[in-house]
Amino acid sequence: MATLTAKIANSVPAMNKHSISINGHRTSYSLEPEFYSELEAIARKKSIPLARLITSIDKDRNENTNLSSALRIYILNAVKNDKDQATG
């Protein structure tokens, strides 16, 4: 069992912390590199700055959801919507 745990621990991507100013308030969020890369791609696809996309997601998030989780959920939904449009 220790071997499986070690394999899982070694396969978990590193978490990177990012800082941003939202409406004059400095805050930070943590995302795995894969999520951050996808978030950048979404911003490029929408032709908007990454900071503006994050500000929009922050504005629309549930008050009980932290920014990092809200970003992951947004990314997941965007990827799912793209997949549905490609197959539908």
Side-chain angles (χ1 to χ4, degrees):
M1 187 67 151
T3 305
L4 178 58
T5 303
K7 285 182 182 179
I8 292 171
N10 289 333
S11 68
V12 175
M15 190 78 68
N16 294 327
K17 194 168 190 170
H18 305 271
S19 295
I20 187 169
S21 183
I22 297 176
N23 298 323
H25 174 72
R26 203 80 178 136
T27 190
S28 63
Y29 59 95
S30 298
L31 288 177
E32 297 80 359
E34 294 82 358
F35 276 101
Y36 187 78
S37 176
E38 196 61 40
L39 189 61
E40 289 180 312
I42 293 167
R44 278 193 307 275
K45 183 176 178 182
K46 292 177 172 277
S47 299
I48 61 173
L50 182 60
R52 186 182 304 161
L53 177 60
I54 294 170
T55 299
S56 173
I57 295 166
D58 181 63
K59 183 183 77 165
D60 293 340
R61 73 181 163 105
N62 181 306
E63 66 182 40
N64 296 320
T65 303
N66 67 49
L67 180 57
S68 298
S69 294
L71 293 171
R72 285 189 196 86
I73 291 166
Y74 180 89
I75 295 162
L76 176 63
N77 287 332
V79 169
K80 286 171 66 176
N81 287 339
D82 282 351
K83 181 180 176 187
D84 289 346
Q85 289 176 1
T87 60

